[in-house]
């Protein structure tokens, strides 16, 4: 209704409305309130205040707040507080103003006072993105806002006072602050300050700067970058070469760093839908609001035509380290028709665009992207990180290329080399065909013949990977998946296979049917294949040992670790060890060597293996936790089939998160803990690691540290994240070693709910998914809450038709 | 070769051969030995002796011995001993003889001296079944052998001496003895005695007799019947009415009790093959030998035309409690042509026959069978049993009929009533169709409508079962299996369903496809259905509570226990409890009652549930271990898919037995133990039971006793077995509570390999699968061993051409 009045009168600002117009509007509001709520709008100020207080409390269970908590992993039981205080007003004429500032640049970390303000306005106007705000000072003006007046020039005395407060706050809090202020008739009021959200790049740069400024220690610097933020630094940026030759379609404010390329959509719902369909989308909005949060999450980039660096879109994107451009005035968005105009042309849903969120440039089409890890500041930060961590970080790599890339990210070995993955990728046709011949073999003779054909491919891959990792350990897992996974589905491929095997298609189909299983995840796979078809194990072990001998003879330092998957019974491991020993003798004899150094160990991914780890460690020299399968068996959740119920579980808070993303420390973690304690009771120097996907998830890495693992292993891109998480775990552990003083910390520890019987209790250390150091909770929620209070208050003021002092 | 000579000369006995014939035969033997072994037969007596000793040791790893151990569950590492001693000879003329005897009748337990002997023969001749032996005394002569001379009349002095020894031995050993003796030129020599094998009927009768004779205590009597033997008493016998009107085709010795009806086969291999094909077979042989053991196992009954009560067939069948008739002289078997003649007619492989093993009668065709549990001796024995056990025994029953039958077997409640089983059996067409409508429903509205239609069927079944169990607790499990299990596979049924739902067949197929899962065992089932479709839980809970109120109003004592399946997370149980509470209020209001007594609990069948049992017990009032699924998840073994590797695991001794038959105490048992301890730490009075199939397996029942469960639940026929196993566990525990004296017992306890961390260690108690009291080991193997020694010795004697004194 306010918007309608302003539009009909041609007003730009709320302050343009006359008192009479406001009176008329208030009557309309009152009618609307009665219509919507069934009650008269209260005239009593206390009643209004209680209404406002109630609204804040109620907002905790609003759809948006709940959705926000789901995304951020904030527990429902935390609740919210209500702060009742006197108001000051920035909308009392041209000597009044309001603003939001950061003590340093939250986008890139630059040590400049950075912010936005509006004259004759309330805070709501700055963050809502309705008016494009003015820059705080001259130094931080950019292309987009150089024509607008800065506070520094408009109100130099007030700016000076504010700048002094900035310095005091940073010195006091030893961190970048997010400040809200109001100027009421020339007098500066500080509304609040809090540790400011920042991009990963900014977090890293500020942390490094503050160490140099002697404001914080190295360990504090390491704690200042959330592992998830590091992710952002590892994400691609627009290739500068490609950018140079492309024409900028529109410019906006660089609200979230990095590059993004994708198809544009115009509603949050579309963004979610398209992303679910596997598409990469950029969400384009005039401005965003909390209803858009899920769509913003689903998009790789966000573009708005309105709003400033502190607008909703900018704040949210920065919190997530997501590429974002706001206030791109050159584009106009028509969400209803799902089109946007830019450079005099019209674009539709599905058109491809590229954003450079670091510069604020919008390009038509998909530009090339490149890595961002060559940044020397990043390298220096990671050197700090490595000074603190105890856990080694390895990588899961299945090809020599992956292995080389992971070394670049700082991997200290390969924790999981999956023999079978050579059959999935490109150039896999020949080996895959030979593997299929082996699988469909009818007896040992046929199978041995097929394995002989397969051998050169397997050996070549293993040898090349071992060579790349010269000097570092490489864990090679023997064949894991059920054989039927590799049987061709298409008739023409079956025909080809049948011809090669000199059998009929019917015969082949029969053999394939024999391999069918009701629950293949718990079927004939892993070591069970090795026990029933020892010749498969023989072939793989021979490839590993021969590769090792040949490379060692070339002067390389090769450290292979033979890992048996899906073990649940110690005797399985003994059975396979007998094969390894036999092949070892044969290879030694063939090459005329006396010994070949290798380790023999097992995955721990079957619950029974964890429970009987004391026996298994009699044979195994190392354990590697396969937490994907351990989560499947431990929960009885088939990862392929959880779609029908796990989303409902997370929704209903039966589970705090998908346990395949964030390790379930209470149940699956208990199995891990039992396994490590029992294994080390048998073999004190047992090497223990993790190679499930949790190995790169920060809260899970912290758990691995606490239970005393030697290393984590994760995908190459997650190696730096795991290194940081490991360092933070070590720093946090050292901090926790000091006596705990406050009850809240104790309560938090207790909440982990460790069963009573378990010994060797790890130190209490926060909830999974949220490192203790992270500070985003009360602020993020506070903003939504404050907005509601502010709205209620505004309505009350408007109704009253006067402004109180 | 011996047989050829005898046949060509028309000799019946080995003793008929002349010295010259023996000399010629020996030369032939020597040629054959050289041909087979490549060495001359040694002339040196010591060398012969060492050969014999070596052969005994080697026999431990012979195919037959290995196969026997697999069947009997005897560990490979036990090994064998060799006993070297001077020989006596029963084949030194007509004043010499040899015999085998039991101090009581091993087939039915009668307190008569029972045995067989042969004049001028060695022990081998008696047990090999080549000559039909004579009865020991007049009292035990039967139809078959009344014309043959008894030892009592032929050598009265020797018989008297033997009878006195019988009395001394029984008094000393306080158990029935199996005796071997030889009479050398009128003088009696005792070769060995051991506790005799017996049928279940005999074991029971002897135990009851010996209590009455004050030879043993009641608790000893309870220990004298192996739970597996009880099985035999529960097996059917030929219906006397049917038998009266049938003509006896042939008569033989009643070597193994009970009745059997099936198709005849003539080789052990065929017996195995046919049985695998799902057929019920009777193995017919001229005589059996150790090579036939697997075939005998596979058959429901055994029939031989030769041999006596101590022949191989009789001994083996009795050990297993299997129906067996031996020495049926009226039939002649031609195994080569796979036919047998009887009553002047020829019968072929596949023809149906019936055996009455208790009387030794053979009938053509399949006669009717009846239960054998009405035996008052059996009832009295079970009353002894119930005096000793602490564990309650319930039954798994899905229908009012099953429930009634189980009460008859002594069930003290229902431990598992599977709601879904009403959709499997006969008369299930209507409810199944309505269930399918519910499953294929597209939204909650459709689903609720289908559930309303289903409700009367579910309530009727539940109410009738509760009524039958008046006064006893009934655990009702909510819907467990994945829904797609109930979707019709056949097109015509899908058509019918589509019409009923007013949708197209394509739509129906789509909905069915949506339900498809990769690993349904770990998919959308159990409580996961209840969480995602609360209306399904509502319907079931309503049926339980309404039935209860209605029956209580009729004055019945109804104790329903609502059990939630597939729980892994305490919050799942809370989610369902909220539904139960809501329906409870509704039902109370509807019937105007203030309270309805029921318990609320959960299956523990997911490893995570066992590990977090401390939390789960905050909500659950009882635990029921679902050891089938717990074994599946704990091992990562899909029960439907283990055929490809578990047989190889048992063969290679990676597993001692199929863990779905015999509970894996080391791994799965550890989970159970952890769950009970943690659950009871939270709720000291937590009721704990087991409802997996292990609940009726004796060694598993003993485990359940040791870890402190309150009850076991098993199928109706296994209830008496579980009662006995529970009593034996209690008696054994009391015995073990006394200080352990011998090292062997200690070593045995240690072998269980309980992980070090675990507390509350159950008392050491033998290996799974073999109750400590069972005595079959050294004897059974001893027989095979002795046979080889005896053969070697015989050859040596024959070669030497003289008989030593």
């Amino acid at each position: 209704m306010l918007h309608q009045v302003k539009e009909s009168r041609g007003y730009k600002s709320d302050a343009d409305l006359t008192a009479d117009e406001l009176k008329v509007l208030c009557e309309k509001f009152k009618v609307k309130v009665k219509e919507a709520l069934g009650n008269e709008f209260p005239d009593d100020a206390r009643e209004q205040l209680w209404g406002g207080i109630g609204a804040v409390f109620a907002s905790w269970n609003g759809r948006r707040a709940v959705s926000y908590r789901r995304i951020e992993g904030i527990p429902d039981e935390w609740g919210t507080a209500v702060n009742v205080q006197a108001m000051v007003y920035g909308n009392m004429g041209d000597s009044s103003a309001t603003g939001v500032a950061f003590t340093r640049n939250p986008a890139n970390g630059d040590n400049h006072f950075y912010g936005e303000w509006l004259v004759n306005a309330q805070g709501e106007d700055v963050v809502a993105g309705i008016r494009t705000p003015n820059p705080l000072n001259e130094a931080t003006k950019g292309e987009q806002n150089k024509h607008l007046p800065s506070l520094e020039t408009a109100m130099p005395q007030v700016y000076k006072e504010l700048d002094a407060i900035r310095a005091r706050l940073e010195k006091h809090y030893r961190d970048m602050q997010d400040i809200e202020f109001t100027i009421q008739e020339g007098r500066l009021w500080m509304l609040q300050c809090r540790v400011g959200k920042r991009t990963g790049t900014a977090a890293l740069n500020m942390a490094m700067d503050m160490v140099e400024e002697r404001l914080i220690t190295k360990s504090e610097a390491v704690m200042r970058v959330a592992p998830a933020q590091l992710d952002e630094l590892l994400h691609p940026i627009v290739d500068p070469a490609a950018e140079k030759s492309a024409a900028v379609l529109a410019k906006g404010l660089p609200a979230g760093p990095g590059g993004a390329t994708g198809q544009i959509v115009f509603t949050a719902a579309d963004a979610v839908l398209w992303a679910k369909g596997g598409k990469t989308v950029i969400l384009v909005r005039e401005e965003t609001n909390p209803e858009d949060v899920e769509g913003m999450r689903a998009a790789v980039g966000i573009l708005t035509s309105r709003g400033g660096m502190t607008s909703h879109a900018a704040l949210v994107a920065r919190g997530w380290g997501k590429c974002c451009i706001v206030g791109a005035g050159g584009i106009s968005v028509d969400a209803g028709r799902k089109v946007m105009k830019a450079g005099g042309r019209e674009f539709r849903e599905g058109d491809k665009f590229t954003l450079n969120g670091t510069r604020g440039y919008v390009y038509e089409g998909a530009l090339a992207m490149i890595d961002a890890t060559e940044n020397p500041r990043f390298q220096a930060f990671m050197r700090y990180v490595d000074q603190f961590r105890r856990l080694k970080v390895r990588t899961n790599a299945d090809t020599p290329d992956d292995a080389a890339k992971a070394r670049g990210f700082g991997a200290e070995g390969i924790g999981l080399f999956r023999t079978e993955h050579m059959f999935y990728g490109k150039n896999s046709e020949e080996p895959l065909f030979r593997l299929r011949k082996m699988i469909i073999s009818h007896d040992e003779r046929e199978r041995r013949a097929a394995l002989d054909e397969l051998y050169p491919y397997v050996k070549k891959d293993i040898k090349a990977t071992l060579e790349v990792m010269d000097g570092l350990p490489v864990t090679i897992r023997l064949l894991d998946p059920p054989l039927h996974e590799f049987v061709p589905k298409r008739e023409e491929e079956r025909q080809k296979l049948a011809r090669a095997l000199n059998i009929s298609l019917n015969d082949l189909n029969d053999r394939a049917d024999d391999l069918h299983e009701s629950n293949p995840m718990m079927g004939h796979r892993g070591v069970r294949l090795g026990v029933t078809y020892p010749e498969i194990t023989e072939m793989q072990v021979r490839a590993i040992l021969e590769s090792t001998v040949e490379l060692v003879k070339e002067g390389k330092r090769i450290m292979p670790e033979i890992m048996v998957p899906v073990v649940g019974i110690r005797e399985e491991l003994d059975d396979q060890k007998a094969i390894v020993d036999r092949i070892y003798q044969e290879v030694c004899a063939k090459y005329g060597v006396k010994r070949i150094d290798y380790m023999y160990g097992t995955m721990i991914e079957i619950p029974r293996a964890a429970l009987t780890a004391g026996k298994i460690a009699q044979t195994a020299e190392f354990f590697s936790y396969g937490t994907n399968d351990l989560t499947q068996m431990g929960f009885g959740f088939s990862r392929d089939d959880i779609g029908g119920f796990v989303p409902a579980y997370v929704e209903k808070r039966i589970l705090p998160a998908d346990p395949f993303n964030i390790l379930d420390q209470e149940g699956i973690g208990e199995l891990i803990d039992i396994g490590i304690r029992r294994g080390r009771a048998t073999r004190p120097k047992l090497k223990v690691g993790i190679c499930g996907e949790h190995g790169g998830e920060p809260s899970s890495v912290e758990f691995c540290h606490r239970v005393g693992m030697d290393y984590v292993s994760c995908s190459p891109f997650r190696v730096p994240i795991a290194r940081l998480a490991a360092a933070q775990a070590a720093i946090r552990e050292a901090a926790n070693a000091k006596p705990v003083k406050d009850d809240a910390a104790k309560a938090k520890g207790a909440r982990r709910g460790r069963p009573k019987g378990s010994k060797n209790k790890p130190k209490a250390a926060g909830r999974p998914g949220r490192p203790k150091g992270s500070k985003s909770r009360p602020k993020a929620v506070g903003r939504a809450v404050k907005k509601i209070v502010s709205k209620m208050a505004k309505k009350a003021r408007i109704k009253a038709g006067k402004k109180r002092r």
Side-chain angles (χ1 to χ4, degrees), chain A:
Chain A
M1 285 179 274
L2 175 62
H3 190 70
Q4 280 169 359
V5 175
K6 282 163 69 182
E7 204 155 67
S8 66
R9 296 285 189 279
Y11 295 157
K12 286 200 164 180
S13 156
D14 296 358
D16 297 340
L17 271 75
T18 65
D20 284 339
E21 283 163 354
L22 284 169
K23 281 182 185 167
V24 172
L25 191 59
C26 278
E27 290 310 313
K28 285 189 188 169
F29 281 156
K30 285 168 80 174
V31 171
K32 189 72 187 172
V33 164
K34 174 129 199 225
E35 185 187 318
L37 303 177
N39 296 320
E40 297 287 344
F41 189 85
D43 269 336
D44 176 56
R46 283 184 180 271
E47 199 180 328
Q48 289 172 8
L49 184 59
W50 278 114
I53 291 168
V56 177
F57 284 126
S59 74
W60 182 254
N61 290 318
R63 212 183 61 81
R64 295 181 330 212
V66 170
S67 157
Y68 184 88
R69 292 202 293 276
R70 294 292 167 276
I71 292 171
E72 297 284 336
I74 297 168
D76 289 331
E77 68 268 25
W78 279 4
T80 187
V82 179
N83 193 6
V84 180
Q85 61 179 90
M87 291 282 291
V88 287
Y89 299 97
N91 52 358
M92 293 185 76
D94 288 349
S95 65
S96 296
T98 194
V100 175
F102 296 91
T103 58
R104 303 191 184 208
N105 186 323
N108 59 24
D110 279 356
N111 191 359
H112 284 124
F113 196 18
Y114 195 95
E116 293 167 335
W117 70 290
L118 281 171
V119 74
N120 196 13
Q122 283 292 79
E124 178 69 9
D125 302 330
V126 183
V127 297
I130 296 165
R131 288 161 64 184
T132 297
N134 307 315
L136 196 66
N137 51 30
E138 296 301 309
T140 58
K141 276 188 172 177
E143 275 300 310
Q144 259 48 47
N145 57 5
K146 63 183 174 193
H147 59 290
L148 298 173
S150 71
L151 186 69
E152 189 178 11
T153 49
M155 301 183 181
Q157 268 313 108
V158 171
Y159 178 77
K160 207 174 154 193
E161 191 186 353
L162 187 64
D163 195 34
I165 290 170
R166 168 210 176 203
R168 277 179 70 188
L169 288 174
E170 270 219 346
K171 198 167 174 195
H172 179 78
Y173 288 111
R174 302 164 66 238
D175 201 352
M176 183 269 273
Q177 296 296 302
D178 171 349
I179 295 167
E180 298 191 17
F181 62 91
T182 284
I183 300 157
Q184 182 174 310
E185 296 179 318
R187 179 165 177 198
L188 175 65
W189 296 87
M190 299 303 295
L191 302 187
Q192 70 170 27
C193 77
R194 55 187 176 191
V195 172
K197 287 201 174 192
R198 61 202 75 179
T199 66
T201 310
L204 183 114
N205 285 332
M206 283 179 203
M208 296 304 282
D209 283 347
M210 289 182 186
V211 171
E212 284 157 24
E213 296 163 21
R214 299 184 183 275
L215 200 58
I216 60 175
T217 64
K218 281 184 190 176
S219 72
E220 281 173 308
V222 168
M223 297 305 286
R224 284 286 167 86
V225 182
Q229 286 184 312
L230 211 56
D231 197 26
E232 166 197 332
L233 294 170
L234 304 171
H235 279 162
I237 58 171
V238 183
D239 180 354
E243 213 169 348
K244 199 173 268 179
S245 57
V248 176
L249 183 71
K251 289 181 182 175
L253 299 171
T261 179
Q263 293 176 278
I264 55 170
V265 291
F266 294 94
T267 70
D270 285 338
V272 170
L273 202 70
W274 288 45
K276 273 195 184 158
K279 287 177 180 155
T280 306
V281 298
I282 291 171
L283 177 62
V284 181
R285 303 283 288 159
E286 194 165 22
E287 56 185 307
T288 64
N289 61 47
E291 272 82 9
D292 293 327
V293 163
E294 286 175 58
M296 295 165 78
R297 184 78 172 183
V300 295
I302 299 154
L303 171 63
T304 72
S305 57
R306 302 216 312 219
M309 285 297 278
T310 51
S311 66
H312 178 263
L315 285 171
V316 170
R318 207 141 56 221
W320 292 335
K322 183 159 290 194
C323 173
C324 177
I325 298 172
V326 297
I331 63 170
S332 73
V333 179
D334 184 339
R337 287 180 50 228
K338 299 193 177 178
V339 294
M340 76 173 194
K341 280 189 186 152
R345 289 158 57 210
E346 196 171 270
F347 299 94
R348 297 151 195 279
E349 191 181 55
D351 287 345
K352 284 192 179 157
F353 276 79
T354 299
L355 308 184
N356 178 339
T358 312
R359 298 172 75 186
Y361 293 175
V362 182
Y363 301 94
E364 188 189 347
L367 302 195
M369 298 279 162
I370 59 162
D371 270 359
T373 51
E374 293 311 305
N375 176 1
R377 216 72 199 278
F378 171 78
Q379 306 282 3
F381 178 76
M382 292 310 292
R383 279 192 297 274
Y384 285 1
V385 162
D386 289 346
Q387 287 172 23
F388 293 98
R389 72 187 161 92
R390 180 185 58 68
L391 273 180
K392 297 261 181 199
V393 178
R394 297 193 191 182
T395 193
N396 301 349
D398 306 317
T399 64
D401 284 357
D402 278 1
K405 188 193 295 164
R407 278 200 89 146
F409 280 123
E412 296 161 298
I414 291 179
L416 180 62
F417 175 89
R418 285 162 287 207
T419 323
E420 63 272 15
H421 275 236
M422 67 177 292
F423 304 115
Y424 292 133
K426 56 186 183 199
N427 307 324
S428 68
E429 203 177 319
E430 269 308 296
L432 179 59
F433 180 69
R434 285 168 217 283
L435 179 73
R436 285 172 170 172
K437 274 178 74 173
M438 186 277 281
I439 287 165
I440 223 72
S441 296
H442 205 242
D443 54 29
E444 190 183 323
R445 193 188 48 76
E446 272 184 32
R447 202 175 304 111
R448 283 196 180 273
L451 285 166
D452 286 346
E453 289 183 31
L454 201 49
Y455 181 74
Y457 297 95
V458 173
K459 183 176 170 188
K460 180 165 162 265
D461 239 44
I462 288 176
K463 190 173 174 182
T465 304
L466 286 170
E467 188 165 15
V468 167
M469 298 305 282
D470 177 19
L472 297 175
V474 177
T475 308
I476 300 165
R477 182 177 72 182
L478 303 183
L479 199 66
D480 179 64
L483 296 183
H484 74 84
E485 269 197 17
F486 298 104
V487 174
K489 307 278 176 292
R490 285 188 304 152
E491 172 138 350
E492 67 188 64
E493 292 196 346
R494 288 200 171 192
Q495 290 274 16
K496 186 182 160 198
L497 193 55
R499 276 197 302 276
L501 286 165
N502 205 18
I503 59 175
S504 73
L505 184 62
N506 271 350
D507 272 3
L508 187 122
N509 288 339
D510 283 351
R511 293 188 192 182
D513 286 349
D514 284 349
L515 293 171
H516 174 78
E517 296 187 306
S518 304
N519 296 284
M521 193 53 66
M522 303 197 292
H524 198 169
R525 55 180 285 239
V527 68
R528 300 162 196 175
L529 293 170
V531 170
T532 48
Y533 307 128
E535 53 277 10
I536 299 180
T537 302
E538 284 175 22
M539 184 274 282
Q540 298 176 88
V541 170
R542 192 184 307 281
I544 295 165
L545 296 181
E546 290 199 356
S547 300
T548 303
V549 176
E550 290 170 11
L551 290 166
V552 167
K553 286 199 165 187
E554 290 172 21
K556 302 268 181 5
R557 281 187 58 225
I558 304 302
M559 295 188 262
E561 301 177 340
I562 298 174
M563 179 160 76
V564 185
V566 197
V567 167
I569 309 165
R570 184 243 172 128
E571 285 77 5
E572 291 174 314
L573 214 50
D574 294 343
D575 178 276
Q576 299 292 289
K577 185 63 165 59
I579 299 172
V580 173
D581 289 345
R582 184 156 45 76
I583 302 300
Y584 179 91
Q585 294 301 340
E586 289 178 22
V587 175
C588 282
K590 178 176 171 184
Y591 288 87
V593 295
K594 289 240 171 66
R595 61 177 286 172
I596 310 167
D597 286 328
Y598 74 96
M599 287 181 83
Y600 181 73
T602 183
M603 296 274 282
I604 302 286
E605 54 188 335
I606 298 287
R608 193 184 188 280
L611 292 164
T612 62
K615 284 183 82 177
I616 288 177
Q618 287 168 7
T619 304
E621 295 171 284
F622 65 88
F623 284 178
S624 177
Y625 279 90
T627 48
N628 299 345
D629 271 349
L630 200 59
T631 299
Q632 291 204 101
M633 313 292 177
F635 271 96
F637 281 0
S638 161
R639 195 171 183 175
D640 293 333
D641 303 314
I642 56 170
F645 55 95
V646 162
Y649 272 40
V650 174
E651 181 67 28
K652 293 189 174 192
R653 306 304 282 164
I654 289 172
L655 281 174
D658 178 347
F660 292 102
N661 290 335
I662 295 182
L663 184 74
D664 164 52
Q665 296 183 15
E666 184 180 13
I668 308 307
E670 171 73 5
L671 272 179
I672 293 173
D673 196 25
I674 288 175
I676 294 177
R677 285 188 282 114
R678 294 186 179 174
R680 292 233 172 101
T682 297
R683 187 187 289 267
K685 296 200 165 173
L686 183 76
K687 196 196 273 193
V688 181
I690 181 176
C691 63
E693 284 174 37
H694 300 100
E697 192 282 316
S699 70
S700 310
V701 171
E702 169 155 8
F703 174 82
C704 295
H705 173 92
R706 284 207 311 275
V707 295
M709 286 196 190
D710 296 299
Y711 69 87
V712 297
S713 186
C714 54
S715 62
F717 270 102
R718 295 190 123 188
V719 166
I721 297 170
R723 285 160 70 196
L724 177 55
Q728 294 189 343
I731 292 169
R732 206 168 286 130
E733 186 179 59
N736 281 336
K738 296 169 198 161
V740 178
K741 275 177 199 160
D742 75 82
D743 286 346
K746 275 184 211 154
K748 236 182 210 174
R751 234 184 309 182
R752 274 194 72 238
R754 289 185 59 80
K756 276 174 183 168
S758 84
K759 291 172 187 172
N760 197 11
K761 202 172 289 193
K763 300 280 172 246
R767 291 182 71 84
R770 290 187 52 79
K772 240 184 184 173
S774 117
K775 297 271 172 59
S776 64
R777 179 180 71 98
K779 297 89 208 178
V781 177
R783 178 168 295 274
V785 162
K786 205 165 57 74
K787 194 164 177 180
I788 292 163
V789 173
S790 146
K791 268 187 186 156
M792 293 293 288
K794 199 192 287 177
K795 281 182 192 162
R797 285 196 308 274
I798 289 165
K799 178 164 176 287
K802 62 174 184 184
K803 291 174 185 173
R804 282 171 299 172
R805 260 161 221 267

